[in-house]
Amino acid sequence: MIIIGATSGIGEELARQAIQNGYRVCGTGRRVHRLKELKDELGDSFYYSKMDVSQFDDAKNTLKSLINEMGGMDIIVLNAGISNYPSSSITAMEQKVIDINVSGFVQLFGEAFQYFRKQGQGQIVGVSSIAGLFGSSRAAPYSASKAFISTYMQAYRQRCNKIKEDITVTDIVAGFIKSEMTEGKKGMFWVSETEKAVKQILTSIEKKKPVAYITRRWRLIAWLIHLIPDRVIDRLW
């Protein structure tokens, strides 16, 4: 299993639990010192490499190198993402979110998809968000990027069915989970402990679910959001 974005939160805990379940795991991220600490904790079953997904060519080349180092790849988890970014302007900040959450995701998804087509099987897991079900005035590029991820993966599931490829595409629709990204944010509810959420994520990956709401109760919220008229959502957010 290769986890793109393993330096904190979901990715870091997923590396731990996957190794406990017998996987060999490679984690990537920009903060190499975090990956080294995780290597010290998890031992020989954990590999790591620095990766900035917004540096598209470098990221794809790093992924290829990791696949060779691991002796192949059966599962890739595309977890790298940001909700905001320190910048000189709103436009620059929003562009950075799109570069990482959308463009970086697409580049690595495409690389993994082509690899799995040649291999004959594999699983691509993308971490989206309940925030992708509606626009948010406080996080426009983030909510839009997560909506893109879910729709993009849905389209690729349809493509795999049409061309009869044995490639599973799993959308992890995350609710509020304790992490650096959610720390200090107000207005959150049903906030899950990271360990509990990741346990459900790993189970969903192993069951090869097409879509999994994490935690499961967020399926109810998703259902309600689809029923609420846009004009009401616009007033709420």
Side-chain angles (χ1 to χ4, degrees), residues 167-197:
I167 300 173
T168 301
V169 180
T170 298
D171 181 7
I172 300 297
V173 186
F176 295 129
I177 300 169
K178 284 188 177 180
S179 69
E180 291 180 9
M181 191 179 292
T182 59
E183 188 175 347
K185 288 189 175 181
K186 298 179 180 180
M188 297 190 301
F189 60 99
W190 289 352
V191 181
S192 172
E193 294 293 335
T194 311
E195 185 176 347
K196 176 183 177 181

Side-chain angles (χ1 to χ4, degrees), residues 5 16-17 21 24 26 34 48 51 88 95 103 105 117 120 145 170 185 192-193 207-208 221 234:
R16 289 192 184 94
Q17 293 194 25
N21 280 27
R24 285 193 307 138
C26 180
R34 293 278 188 93
Y48 69 90
M51 180 188 289
S88 58
Q95 184 61 58
S103 301
F105 176 90
R117 285 198 74 178
S145 70
T170 298
K185 288 189 175 181
S192 172
E193 294 293 335
K207 289 183 176 180
K208 295 187 174 182
I221 297 296
D234 289 345

Side-chain angles (χ1 to χ4, degrees), residues 61-132:
N61 289 333
T62 298
L63 178 59
K64 291 175 184 177
S65 297
L66 292 175
I67 292 171
N68 290 332
E69 183 180 354
M70 296 279 286
M73 175 177 71
D74 293 320
I75 302 170
I76 185 169
V77 181
L78 301 174
N79 176 60
I82 57 174
S83 60
N84 52 51
Y85 191 85
S87 187
S88 58
S89 69
I90 292 176
T91 301
M93 178 275 288
E94 293 187 344
Q95 184 61 58
K96 190 65 176 181
V97 173
I98 292 167
D99 287 345
I100 292 174
N101 294 12
V102 176
S103 301
F105 176 90
V106 168
Q107 295 292 322
L108 293 177
F109 187 105
E111 197 68 35
F113 185 79
Q114 293 305 320
Y115 174 82
F116 288 145
R117 285 198 74 178
K118 292 177 183 177
Q119 180 171 266
Q121 62 84 32
Q123 183 175 13
I124 304 174
V125 181
V127 179
S128 66
S129 171
I130 201 76

Side-chain angles (χ1 to χ4, degrees), residues 18-32:
I19 286 175
Q20 290 170 5
N21 280 27
Y23 291 86
R24 285 193 307 138
V25 175
C26 180
T28 75
R30 290 176 294 172
R31 295 174 290 186
V32 179

